[in-house]
Amino acid sequence: MRCILVLVFLFITSGKALADESITIFVKETSYSINTSDEELNSAELESKLKQLKFSLVTLDVDYCADPVMVAEVYVALANANPSVSVKDVHLIVSGSHEQSKCKNA
C-alpha cells in the first residue's frame, strides 16, 4: 500500500514539475500589464515584476495602437528579468481597433 502511495505521489509531483507556467503581457499604447492585473506598468516596473515571476511561456497581447518600441521593450525586459531561465515560447496576438481615431499617439 505504501509503495502505491509513493508512486502516486511521485507521479503527481513530476507532472507539476514538468508543467510550464505561462504569463500574458498586455502591451498597451502607453503601458503594460501582466495577466489579469489592472496595474499599469512602465518598462522598468514590468521588468521588476517579471523578476518576481516564474514562467517559461509568454503570450504578448499587443494593442493595435502600441508603438513598436513598446514591443521591443518587452523583449528587453524578458531578457533582463530571467537571464538564467529560458523562455521556451513567445506567442504574439493583436487586439484593439485599427481605427486611427482610437489611437492617442497616431
Side-chain angles (χ1 to χ4, degrees), residues 50-88:
L50 291 175
K51 287 180 181 179
Q52 300 170 9
L53 301 173
K54 292 183 180 181
F55 56 90
S56 59
L57 302 173
V58 178
T59 300
L60 294 181
D61 188 336
V62 182
D63 186 82
Y64 183 82
C65 295
D67 187 13
V69 172
M70 297 286 290
V71 177
E73 288 176 348
V74 171
Y75 282 100
V76 171
L78 285 169
N80 290 341
N82 291 321
S84 62
V85 177
S86 65
V87 173
K88 292 181 181 178

Side-chain angles (χ1 to χ4, degrees), residues 33-52:
S33 63
I34 300 174
N35 292 334
T36 58
S37 174
D38 291 333
E39 182 180 10
E40 297 203 0
L41 309 167
N42 62 31
S43 60
E45 294 168 334
L46 174 66
E47 186 176 318
S48 175
K49 290 283 185 185
L50 291 175
K51 287 180 181 179
Q52 300 170 9

